[in-house]
PDB file of all heavy atoms in Angstrom:
ATOM      1  N   VAL A  43      -4.865   6.387  -7.762  1.00 95.00           N
ATOM      2  CA  VAL A  43      -3.680   6.740  -8.536  1.00 95.00           C
ATOM      3  C   VAL A  43      -4.084   7.628  -9.707  1.00 95.00           C
ATOM      4  O   VAL A  43      -5.078   7.354 -10.383  1.00 95.00           O
ATOM      5  CB  VAL A  43      -2.979   5.470  -9.071  1.00 95.00           C
ATOM      6  CG1 VAL A  43      -1.692   5.827  -9.789  1.00 95.00           C
ATOM      7  CG2 VAL A  43      -2.706   4.494  -7.961  1.00 95.00           C
ATOM      8  N   LYS A  44      -3.304   8.674  -9.952  1.00 95.00           N
ATOM      9  CA  LYS A  44      -3.545   9.540 -11.101  1.00 95.00           C
ATOM     10  C   LYS A  44      -2.967   8.870 -12.345  1.00 95.00           C
ATOM     11  O   LYS A  44      -1.798   8.507 -12.384  1.00 95.00           O
ATOM     12  CB  LYS A  44      -2.869  10.899 -10.921  1.00 95.00           C
ATOM     13  CG  LYS A  44      -3.453  11.735  -9.819  1.00 95.00           C
ATOM     14  CD  LYS A  44      -2.710  13.044  -9.721  1.00 95.00           C
ATOM     15  CE  LYS A  44      -3.139  13.822  -8.508  1.00 95.00           C
ATOM     16  NZ  LYS A  44      -2.343  15.039  -8.328  1.00 95.00           N
ATOM     17  N   ILE A  45      -3.821   8.711 -13.376  1.00 94.00           N
ATOM     18  CA  ILE A  45      -3.410   8.115 -14.641  1.00 94.00           C
ATOM     19  C   ILE A  45      -3.574   9.176 -15.723  1.00 94.00           C
ATOM     20  O   ILE A  45      -4.625   9.819 -15.814  1.00 94.00           O
ATOM     21  CB  ILE A  45      -4.280   6.880 -14.991  1.00 94.00           C
ATOM     22  CG1 ILE A  45      -4.208   5.842 -13.881  1.00 94.00           C
ATOM     23  CG2 ILE A  45      -3.883   6.293 -16.326  1.00 94.00           C
ATOM     24  CD1 ILE A  45      -2.874   5.176 -13.724  1.00 94.00           C
ATOM     25  N   LYS A  46      -2.544   9.329 -16.549  1.00 93.00           N
ATOM     26  CA  LYS A  46      -2.606  10.312 -17.625  1.00 93.00           C
ATOM     27  C   LYS A  46      -3.067   9.614 -18.898  1.00 93.00           C
ATOM     28  O   LYS A  46      -2.380   8.752 -19.425  1.00 93.00           O
ATOM     29  CB  LYS A  46      -1.245  10.964 -17.824  1.00 93.00           C
ATOM     30  CG  LYS A  46      -1.277  12.145 -18.726  1.00 93.00           C
ATOM     31  CD  LYS A  46       0.033  12.895 -18.713  1.00 93.00           C
ATOM     32  CE  LYS A  46      -0.094  14.148 -19.553  1.00 93.00           C
ATOM     33  NZ  LYS A  46       1.148  14.894 -19.568  1.00 93.00           N
ATOM     34  N   ASP A  47      -4.251   9.980 -19.388  1.00 90.00           N
ATOM     35  CA  ASP A  47      -4.822   9.473 -20.636  1.00 90.00           C
ATOM     36  C   ASP A  47      -4.737  10.575 -21.679  1.00 90.00           C
ATOM     37  O   ASP A  47      -5.611  11.438 -21.765  1.00 90.00           O
ATOM     38  CB  ASP A  47      -6.298   9.087 -20.431  1.00 90.00           C
ATOM     39  CG  ASP A  47      -6.475   7.625 -20.100  1.00 90.00           C
ATOM     40  OD1 ASP A  47      -5.519   6.868 -20.280  1.00 90.00           O
ATOM     41  OD2 ASP A  47      -7.579   7.250 -19.671  1.00 90.00           O
ATOM     42  N   GLY A  48      -3.696  10.565 -22.480  1.00 90.00           N
ATOM     43  CA  GLY A  48      -3.539  11.633 -23.466  1.00 90.00           C
ATOM     44  C   GLY A  48      -3.295  12.944 -22.756  1.00 90.00           C
ATOM     45  O   GLY A  48      -2.275  13.134 -22.105  1.00 90.00           O
ATOM     46  N   GLU A  49      -4.254  13.845 -22.869  1.00 93.00           N
ATOM     47  CA  GLU A  49      -4.134  15.144 -22.196  1.00 93.00           C
ATOM     48  C   GLU A  49      -4.910  15.191 -20.891  1.00 93.00           C
ATOM     49  O   GLU A  49      -4.724  16.084 -20.085  1.00 93.00           O
ATOM     50  CB  GLU A  49      -4.634  16.249 -23.132  1.00 93.00           C
ATOM     51  CG  GLU A  49      -3.802  16.382 -24.390  1.00 93.00           C
ATOM     52  CD  GLU A  49      -4.354  17.421 -25.338  1.00 93.00           C
ATOM     53  OE1 GLU A  49      -5.298  18.136 -24.963  1.00 93.00           O
ATOM     54  OE2 GLU A  49      -3.829  17.504 -26.458  1.00 93.00           O
ATOM     55  N   LYS A  50      -5.820  14.220 -20.707  1.00 94.00           N
ATOM     56  CA  LYS A  50      -6.644  14.202 -19.498  1.00 94.00           C
ATOM     57  C   LYS A  50      -5.951  13.418 -18.389  1.00 94.00           C
ATOM     58  O   LYS A  50      -5.205  12.492 -18.642  1.00 94.00           O
ATOM     59  CB  LYS A  50      -7.996  13.555 -19.788  1.00 94.00           C
ATOM     60  CG  LYS A  50      -8.878  14.336 -20.729  1.00 94.00           C
ATOM     61  CD  LYS A  50     -10.240  13.717 -20.845  1.00 94.00           C
ATOM     62  CE  LYS A  50     -10.170  12.441 -21.654  1.00 94.00           C
ATOM     63  NZ  LYS A  50     -11.473  11.831 -21.893  1.00 94.00           N
ATOM     64  N   VAL A  51      -6.238  13.806 -17.159  1.00 94.00           N
ATOM     65  CA  VAL A  51      -5.760  13.083 -15.993  1.00 94.00           C
ATOM     66  C   VAL A  51      -6.980  12.541 -15.262  1.00 94.00           C
ATOM     67  O   VAL A  51      -7.911  13.285 -14.962  1.00 94.00           O
ATOM     68  CB  VAL A  51      -4.940  14.000 -15.060  1.00 94.00           C
ATOM     69  CG1 VAL A  51      -4.523  13.261 -13.817  1.00 94.00           C
ATOM     70  CG2 VAL A  51      -3.730  14.540 -15.790  1.00 94.00           C
ATOM     71  N   ARG A  52      -6.987  11.236 -15.005  1.00 95.00           N
ATOM     72  CA  ARG A  52      -8.106  10.624 -14.298  1.00 95.00           C
ATOM     73  C   ARG A  52      -7.572   9.835 -13.112  1.00 95.00           C
ATOM     74  O   ARG A  52      -6.379   9.595 -13.004  1.00 95.00           O
ATOM     75  CB  ARG A  52      -8.918   9.728 -15.231  1.00 95.00           C
ATOM     76  CG  ARG A  52      -8.160   8.529 -15.746  1.00 95.00           C
ATOM     77  CD  ARG A  52      -8.994   7.722 -16.728  1.00 95.00           C
ATOM     78  NE  ARG A  52      -8.260   6.601 -17.251  1.00 95.00           N
ATOM     79  CZ  ARG A  52      -8.170   5.416 -16.669  1.00 95.00           C
ATOM     80  NH1 ARG A  52      -8.781   5.205 -15.520  1.00 95.00           N
ATOM     81  NH2 ARG A  52      -7.477   4.442 -17.211  1.00 95.00           N
ATOM     82  N   ILE A  53      -8.479   9.434 -12.240  1.00 95.00           N
ATOM     83  CA  ILE A  53      -8.127   8.675 -11.044  1.00 95.00           C
ATOM     84  C   ILE A  53      -8.528   7.222 -11.264  1.00 95.00           C
ATOM     85  O   ILE A  53      -9.658   6.935 -11.644  1.00 95.00           O
ATOM     86  CB  ILE A  53      -8.846   9.231  -9.799  1.00 95.00           C
ATOM     87  CG1 ILE A  53      -8.510  10.705  -9.588  1.00 95.00           C
ATOM     88  CG2 ILE A  53      -8.505   8.412  -8.564  1.00 95.00           C
ATOM     89  CD1 ILE A  53      -7.064  10.973  -9.252  1.00 95.00           C
TER      90      ILE A  53
END
Side-chain angles (χ1 to χ4, degrees):
V43 184
K44 293 180 188 175
I45 303 292
K46 191 170 185 180
D47 266 346
E49 296 177 7
K50 293 186 287 184
V51 177
R52 65 183 178 86
I53 302 294

